Amino acid sequence: MKPTPVSGQIGDSPRRADGPQKVRGDFEYSSDLKAAGMLWGATVRSPHPYARIVAIDAAEALALPGVHAVLTHLDVPGTKVYGLEIQDQPVLAIDVVRYWGEAVALVAADHPEHARRAAQAVRVTYEVLKPLTDPELALTDDAPRLHPGGNVTRQVKIRHGDQSAQAEVVVSGEYEVGMQDQAPLGPESGLAIPDGRGGIDLHLATQWLHVDRDQLAGILALPPEKVRLTLAGVGGAFGAREDLSMQAHACLLALRTGRPVKMSYSRPESFVGHVHRHPGKLRYEHGATRDGKLVYVKARVLLDGGAYASSSTAVIANACCFALGPYECPSATVDGWVVYTNNPPCGAMRGFGSVQNCYAHEAQMDKLAAAIGMDPVELRQRNAMKTGSRLITGQVVEGPAPVAELLDRIKAFPLPVEGSGSGRGGGKVDLTQMPGGVSNTTHGEGVRRGVGYAVGFKNVGYSEGFDDYSTARIRLSVANGRPRAEVHTAAAEVGQGLITIQAQIAATELGVTDVVVLDADTQVGSAGSSSASRQTYITGGAVKAACEAVRERVLALAQSEIGRSAGARLERDAVVSADGGLIVTLATLLGDAVVEETREFRPRRTHRLDAATGQANAHLQYAFAAHRAVVDVDTELGLVKVVELATAQDVGKAINPQAVEGQLEGGAAQGLGLAVMEEIQVKDGVIRNASFTDYLLPTILDMPPLLMDILELGDPHSPYGLKGVGEPPTISSGPAIVAAIRAATGRPITRVPVRPQDIVGA
Amino acid sequence: MEFLQPTTWTEALAMKAAHPDAIPIAGGTDVMVEINFDRHRPPAFLDLTRIAELSEWGLDNGVLRVGAGVTYTQLIDELGDRLPGLAKASRTVGSPQIRNRGTVGGNLGSASPAGDAHPPLLASRAIVELASSAGTRRLPMHEFFVGPKRSAMRKDELIRAFLVAPAQGPQQFSKVGTRNAMVIAVCSFALAIEPDRRRVGTGIGSAAPTPVTAPEAERFLEGVLGEHDLWQTRAPVAESALLRFGELVAAAARPIDDVRGTAAYRRHALAVMARRSFVWAWNEYRAAA
């Protein structure tokens, strides 16, 4: 990608460097890459969720025109298994396949169609086994052991307060969350180019270059410096690009054939090419006093991790740590399991464990409010977490925790006028405002309105002692008579606007208007992943730290060349005095000199949960958001129109207000998707809707206008006081919608996504 | 793969006769999806987009003859007043881009039970005109669909047009999908009422192996309307009769459980849509008095 300058300070919303290209369709995504002499890779995938591989015969495939290589696990020179937390997933299946669509063999050919046909010509003989698809069964001794250590990937126990607490009012419920897909529009894709000296360059879409690089070095049996990764245009991520997909495969084929190899998944292949959001079953019991103070919560959380571990151990930790929602409660007993099955592997997705439990704890709070006869918002506020509250993990919440205020704010938005789209008043029906939309299913008949509230929270950054850091290199020089700052990090721009954020921070810290963000690659230290809502905090922190080091040197240079000036600072491409007067322009001061500094930024360390009690200062920062949903439900047909969403979120400090609004809108839409339509339907281990024909994403007629109240309360521990913003919008938006559907229909609705038959009872 | 590009209808028929396995393609909105999914690898495509007369329509002896290449957008813009049921269905097809390319001829050619154009064509008793180099034949719509994605077309035939009378009265179309736009039907229902002929027409989509009609429901409603002279008085129809009509429509379906919905829900939804559609159509008729 050509680096494009961005101008604007923190707090501004400058035009994104990639914006015009993306709008025009000129932007080069990873699926658009090409190289001279390039071959195409294709993957042979398992048609069974669980089977033994008896034989693989590549002879027929190798004899086809244009075919250059067919590889199996025997051709993997280094580590044959990989994984983010537990190395349990074969690069190519070894003797057994554990999920439908697992990669078994690879083909390289001179044309994508040749590669596809050759992949179909690889004869794999399977001995089909009965798949383990029920996570409850996976917990029992009756289940086949899918991995040497058994089927429990991780068990989490949290014991907080009096374990035998009793309460005057008790409500309980069971809730189920379906499997959501991240559905990034860009498929898994990239281009691997052998360097002719045994090394490889890989251009790809990913969320974390260095973790890919380190895993690839092991798989390819190469020193890390011979595996160079460069970020290509990323068409969305949402957690789907944290694990390896085509990375090792393309590199293996390229090193074997000595030719550049491109791989780009089709949409159906993408559905088996990345992990999904864990489906969950959650059983809760809430005990409270008659005046609405929580006494205890007992929760049992079971997540289906599918065939391989991916990020499961961290997801279940989140699901348990935040199981109660952002409330104070003197006692809690939380037991969580994430298990192996022969279902599609699950891992990271926006919200990361907090999405599943929010459906449960918020349904429970509404149920409790109804049992006590209290307004559901008031009940939440009466128990709301605040600064200084102690979590069920024993950690004290530092920094702003404005849960009660967020609820006040969403309640303060005026409610939309009822029946505005209805034709009952004699006016023309506006179908776009009706449940069922343009499909003309109601002109107002059977439509009832409901309003629901939900609030959620989660951690920002890595947890449980994982070394969280990022690296930034800043280079200040003079080009064409003007000072120019170059920012170099390995942080992945996945569409969220991180390039612009980095440029804004450098412009602010160095007082220069010309800032260029270089391509992200592995020629600079790790930035960590674009996940956990962490990049603005951690890589932003690294850019800030490196800029400060550069600034210090520049000011020292000014002092030695021109003389001391108390309070001198960098502004408007110059060194200025405390009162803003020009001391010297940077162009003059620097001349041919280059000031370059590299810094790592590390926030405070976190600690691992105690295995027996789940107690620890396990998390770095907490982010909170609340949503109010207004829905119209066609109670006879079970169709839903979300009329309006309102949200309030504390973002600490909005570095780029427009990007913040984008996160709040996109996150709410993704939450809406899970609430009312998005589900990977798996039957007997097989995905039945691996396409956008039947895996439905919200359209503009499904996602209503979002009313936003953005608070900037400032976290004393983070750079600029900012908080991660990407995930909270996805947590409580869906639960608010489901609460509104319950209010409109009177039905319990314990499963998401909510299907028409769940509403009409057919 | 061969790509055949006839420029005249005669040439197209000759090519189809010579390449009976060639897949005709117009908008490509169905065909290309199938190709992308690798469900078909046809030996040849027959590109029909260069044959100008396929995208034309005209009125002949009071009957509309609509070329197979007429797009959904054309139907909405040019024929919305004469074929309101089909236009309503066309508005529910995909996105604007799909409606700009997709054609009713292609919808018929795919013969999907979920094809949005099929229920209104059934309800208004349209006729399909099939042609081969051996000649032309006309089939009533209900004889055209023979199974899931199977039609009565022979391999040497192409769809030339469909024929249908301009609406003789109110027409309705409803479709249930779990998204408010751009969605394949979970089930759909079309209704045409023809006061002059004292006739009611129905069409059901996505709730049987083929698009079907609900003849018993039609006869029942015609009976109710005739018995009480409601065509003349335009009085409201009793709630009990509406419920019965809905039940009979639901009973005409033969739905299955699949990835888009359950059989039970489809029956339930058809009954609701049938009732509502009739009320809308009848209110329109009453208001027209």
Side-chain angles (χ1 to χ4, degrees):
Chain A
M1 276 181 289
K2 198 173 67 165
T4 314
V6 173
S7 58
Q9 306 255 317
I10 65 162
D12 296 340
S13 297
R15 175 184 276 197
R16 291 175 61 131
D18 54 359
Q21 291 166 288
K22 284 181 172 170
V23 169
R24 283 196 300 260
D26 293 340
F27 185 79
E28 187 179 58
Y29 287 97
S30 56
S31 51
D32 300 321
L33 295 166
K34 48 185 179 294
M38 169 176 99
L39 300 176
W40 292 79
T43 312
V44 179
R45 295 184 178 276
S46 169
H48 308 291
Y50 192 30
R52 233 177 282 291
I53 298 173
V54 178
I56 302 175
D57 180 359
E60 192 183 326
L62 282 165
L64 287 173
V67 175
H68 287 249
V70 177
L71 307 183
T72 69
H73 72 91
L74 297 172
D75 301 295
V76 178
T79 326
K80 288 177 189 281
V81 290
Y82 68 94
L84 291 170
E85 296 169 348
I86 300 170
Q87 283 68 53
D88 61 355
Q89 183 158 4
V91 176
L92 291 166
I94 305 168
D95 302 335
V96 62
V97 287
R98 295 185 182 84
Y99 74 96
W100 181 78
E102 182 163 355
V104 175
L106 303 169
V107 170
D110 58 0
H111 187 278
E113 188 58 27
H114 281 156
R116 191 161 78 157
R117 290 183 188 207
Q120 288 175 354
V122 175
R123 303 287 163 227
V124 185
T125 312
Y126 295 97
E127 178 196 333
V128 176
L129 302 170
K130 185 178 175 345
L132 170 59
T133 57
D134 177 1
E136 291 283 0
L137 182 64
L139 281 174
T140 70
D141 292 337
D142 296 336
R145 285 163 73 90
L146 299 182
H147 290 273
N151 295 332
V152 176
T153 316
R154 186 178 184 187
Q155 180 180 3
V156 174
K157 282 170 79 166
I158 297 177
R159 300 291 179 266
H160 167 66
D162 176 6
Q163 292 300 295
S164 52
Q166 304 280 319
E168 296 167 318
V169 185
V170 174
V171 294
S172 58
E174 279 194 54
Y175 307 92
E176 195 179 336
V177 177
M179 186 187 289
Q180 189 179 18
D181 190 52
Q182 301 88 342
L185 293 188
E188 291 74 7
S189 48
L191 176 64
I193 307 172
D195 66 8
R197 300 183 304 278
I200 191 123
D201 286 279
L202 177 64
H203 301 259
L204 79 166
T206 183
Q207 290 177 243
W208 188 355
L209 289 164
H210 283 76
V211 81
D212 284 4
R213 195 265 320 258
D214 293 347
Q215 293 190 90
L216 288 172
I219 291 164
L220 303 172
L222 288 173
E225 61 274 15
K226 295 199 112 175
V227 183
R228 293 167 300 267
L229 272 62
T230 303
L231 192 71
V234 183
F238 314 107
R241 299 187 202 277
E242 290 194 21
D243 297 80
L244 294 182
S245 57
M246 48 57 65
Q247 289 91 326
H249 298 165
C251 291
L252 287 166
L253 289 169
L255 288 168
R256 171 63 67 96
T257 59
R259 301 262 294 264
V261 171
K262 174 168 173 175
M263 294 187 83
S264 186
Y265 290 176
S266 67
R267 181 58 53 186
E269 188 172 23
S270 178
F271 272 93
V272 295
H274 61 254
V275 298
H276 312 291
R277 188 191 299 290
H278 292 78
K281 287 185 177 147
L282 305 99
R283 195 158 69 213
Y284 273 63
E285 181 180 305
H286 277 57
T289 63
R290 282 194 208 290
D291 60 354
K293 284 294 280 184
L294 287 175
V295 174
Y296 72 85
V297 175
K298 293 178 183 170
R300 177 188 186 270
V301 179
L302 176 61
L303 300 182
D304 183 352
Y308 296 104
S310 181
S311 309
S312 280
T313 67
V315 173
I316 189 67
N318 268 15
C320 292
C321 287
F322 314 125
L324 273 59
Y327 304 111
E328 290 184 337
C329 184
S331 296
T333 311
V334 179
D335 288 290
W337 290 268
V338 61
V339 294
Y340 286 120
T341 64
N342 293 115
N343 288 322
C346 291
M349 182 173 173
R350 194 181 202 174
F352 204 79
S354 278
V355 168
Q356 293 90 334
N357 65 34
C358 191
Y359 279 101
H361 65 66
E362 290 305 271
Q364 284 286 102
M365 292 304 273
D366 284 342
K367 215 172 190 177
L368 187 58
I372 294 171
M374 184 180 280
D375 175 78
V377 173
E378 191 189 336
L379 176 76
R380 286 172 169 84
Q381 290 179 318
R382 190 162 289 197
N383 294 284
M385 186 176 280
K386 49 189 178 290
T387 305
S389 294
R390 192 172 287 278
L391 298 179
I392 61 171
T393 52
Q395 186 167 3
V396 172
V397 179
E398 299 175 354
V403 176
E405 185 180 354
L406 295 177
L407 287 160
D408 269 338
R409 294 208 175 208
I410 51 172
K411 210 174 169 179
F413 281 114
L415 283 163
V417 178
E418 193 158 353
S420 48
S422 152
R424 284 172 184 160
K428 200 169 151 51
V429 177
D430 180 0
L431 288 177
T432 63
Q433 299 308 307
M434 289 287 162
V438 293
S439 294
N440 191 37
T441 47
T442 181
H443 297 173
E445 298 89 343
V447 176
R448 271 192 242 146
R449 176 153 293 188
V451 179
Y453 290 86
V455 58
F457 81 129
K458 88 172 284 289
N459 56 324
V460 171
Y462 301 140
S463 297
E464 289 202 81
F466 194 94
D467 185 19
D468 199 346
Y469 74 98
S470 181
T471 318
R473 182 185 299 151
I474 305 293
R475 187 176 194 271
L476 185 64
S477 62
V478 179
N480 302 322
R482 289 183 61 204
R484 156 178 287 208
E486 286 177 355
V487 182
H488 192 186
T489 74
E493 165 69 65
V494 297
Q496 82 280 47
L498 187 61
I499 289 174
T500 313
I501 295 284
Q502 294 178 71
Q504 288 178 255
I505 291 173
T508 304
E509 297 300 330
L510 297 175
V512 297
T513 47
D514 186 4
V515 180
V516 168
V517 179
L518 303 183
D519 279 358
D521 58 32
T522 50
Q523 305 307 303
V524 61
S526 174
S529 60
S530 290
S531 66
S533 304
R534 64 180 281 287
Q535 282 295 28
T536 301
Y537 189 140
I538 313 293
T539 291
V543 171
K544 181 169 184 278
C547 286
E548 284 164 353
V550 167
R551 188 175 63 205
E552 215 169 289
R553 278 182 54 191
V554 171
L555 290 174
L557 183 67
Q559 190 176 329
S560 68
E561 301 263 316
I562 293 157
R564 184 172 170 75
S565 169
R569 59 182 195 272
L570 302 187
E571 205 176 278
R572 304 188 310 274
D573 293 340
V575 181
V576 300
S577 60
D579 60 6
L582 177 72
I583 296 174
V584 60
T585 67
L586 288 174
T588 306
L589 177 67
L590 292 175
D592 293 335
V594 172
V595 183
E596 181 177 303
E597 289 292 339
T598 301
R599 285 292 181 278
E600 280 182 1
F601 174 77
R602 271 188 174 73
R604 293 178 297 165
R605 272 205 89 89
T606 57
H607 302 277
R608 191 161 170 82
L609 293 175
D610 180 83
T613 63
Q615 300 298 296
N617 287 340
H619 305 291
L620 173 63
Q621 185 190 52
Y622 297 103
F624 304 86
H627 286 85
R628 182 186 73 191
V630 179
V631 305
D632 279 344
V633 182
D634 182 336
T635 53
E636 283 184 293
L637 285 177
L639 300 177
V640 175
K641 167 74 184 175
V642 181
V643 175
E644 183 193 276
L645 282 170
T647 188
Q649 182 171 335
D650 171 29
V651 303
K653 164 73 186 169
I655 304 297
N656 182 320
Q658 191 182 46
V660 167
E661 289 176 10
Q663 289 294 322
L664 267 55
E665 287 171 340
Q670 209 153 22
L672 179 151
L674 176 58
V676 296
M677 64 182 81
E678 287 188 44
E679 181 175 14
I680 296 184
Q681 298 187 45
V682 181
K683 191 176 184 198
D684 302 325
V686 177
I687 298 178
R688 302 163 76 206
N689 57 336
S691 81
F692 285 162
T693 306
D694 284 309
Y695 183 89
L696 299 181
L697 296 162
T699 69
I700 192 73
L701 286 188
D702 299 286
M703 177 63 194
L706 179 69
L707 306 177
M708 290 179 264
D709 196 343
I710 296 168
L711 286 70
E712 297 181 272
L713 300 182
D715 183 321
H717 297 287
S718 66
Y720 307 113
L722 69 84
K723 279 194 174 191
V725 298
E727 292 171 285
T730 311
I731 297 171
S732 47
S733 49
I737 290 165
V738 176
I741 296 172
R742 285 190 200 102
T745 62
R747 286 197 169 263
I749 311 285
T750 57
R751 184 192 186 283
V752 291
V754 183
R755 301 161 297 197
Q757 59 262 36
D758 300 332
I759 292 174
V760 303
Chain B
M1 185 185 293
E2 266 190 281
F3 197 71
L4 308 168
Q5 292 186 291
T7 51
T8 66
W9 184 240
T10 317
E11 196 186 349
L13 293 177
M15 283 178 169
K16 184 63 175 157
H19 301 85
D21 288 327
I23 300 286
I25 183 166
T29 58
D30 267 353
V31 172
M32 290 315 295
V33 172
E34 296 280 304
I35 299 286
N36 272 336
F37 283 154
D38 207 17
R39 286 187 194 136
H40 291 306
R41 292 218 184 135
F45 275 128
L46 184 64
D47 172 21
L48 298 174
T49 56
R50 296 172 177 224
I51 301 162
E53 66 250 46
L54 280 184
S55 28
E56 289 165 3
W57 59 268
L59 201 57
D60 188 15
N61 273 332
V63 175
L64 282 164
R65 184 164 175 276
V66 182
V70 169
T71 64
Y72 296 109
T73 300
Q74 270 183 284
L75 274 166
I76 296 163
D77 294 348
E78 299 167 20
L79 288 162
D81 54 342
R82 276 159 283 198
L83 301 173
L86 188 56
K88 284 188 171 82
S90 300
R91 284 190 197 98
T92 76
V93 173
S95 58
Q97 294 90 330
I98 297 291
R99 295 195 286 274
N100 286 340
R101 287 201 63 89
T103 65
V104 175
N107 212 215
L108 289 167
S110 297
S112 161
D116 290 320
H118 304 154
L121 291 173
L122 281 167
S124 49
R125 292 177 167 72
I127 285 166
V128 195
E129 185 180 307
L130 302 170
S132 70
S133 35
T136 296
R137 61 178 178 136
R138 290 179 172 181
L139 273 186
M141 202 55 70
H142 66 273
E143 288 178 28
F144 178 75
F145 303 109
V146 298
K149 299 202 172 184
R150 285 191 295 119
S151 72
M153 261 169 89
R154 293 194 315 258
K155 282 202 153 186
D156 64 336
E157 284 179 320
L158 292 171
I159 300 167
R160 173 62 186 86
F162 67 89
L163 294 90
V164 65
Q168 308 293 300
Q171 299 185 342
Q172 281 295 337
F173 176 81
S174 299
K175 165 169 123 180
V176 167
T178 43
R179 179 160 73 183
N180 289 324
M182 282 178 63
V183 69
I184 293 187
V186 170
C187 56
S188 63
F189 179 74
L191 178 77
I193 63 173
E194 299 176 13
D196 292 349
R197 299 188 199 162
R198 303 285 192 256
R199 222 184 55 82
V200 172
T202 59
I204 295 171
S206 238
T210 65
V212 293
T213 57
E216 265 191 73
E218 294 171 1
R219 298 300 85 71
F220 167 78
L221 205 50
E222 286 164 2
V224 170
L225 297 173
E227 188 183 352
H228 305 289
D229 201 24
L230 297 179
W231 290 111
Q232 210 58 46
T233 65
R234 305 190 189 218
V237 174
E239 188 68 23
S240 58
L242 295 175
L243 284 170
R244 184 67 191 141
F245 175 61
E247 283 169 16
L248 288 170
V249 167
R254 282 178 290 142
I256 55 168
D257 289 343
D258 67 13
V259 75
R260 294 179 194 135
T262 61
Y265 172 75
R266 287 183 159 107
R267 280 209 186 82
H268 167 87
L270 282 170
V272 174
M273 286 192 290
R275 280 201 317 266
R276 289 182 182 174
S277 296
F278 179 74
V279 170
W280 299 334
W282 194 248
N283 285 346
E284 187 185 332
Y285 176 56
R286 298 178 66 203

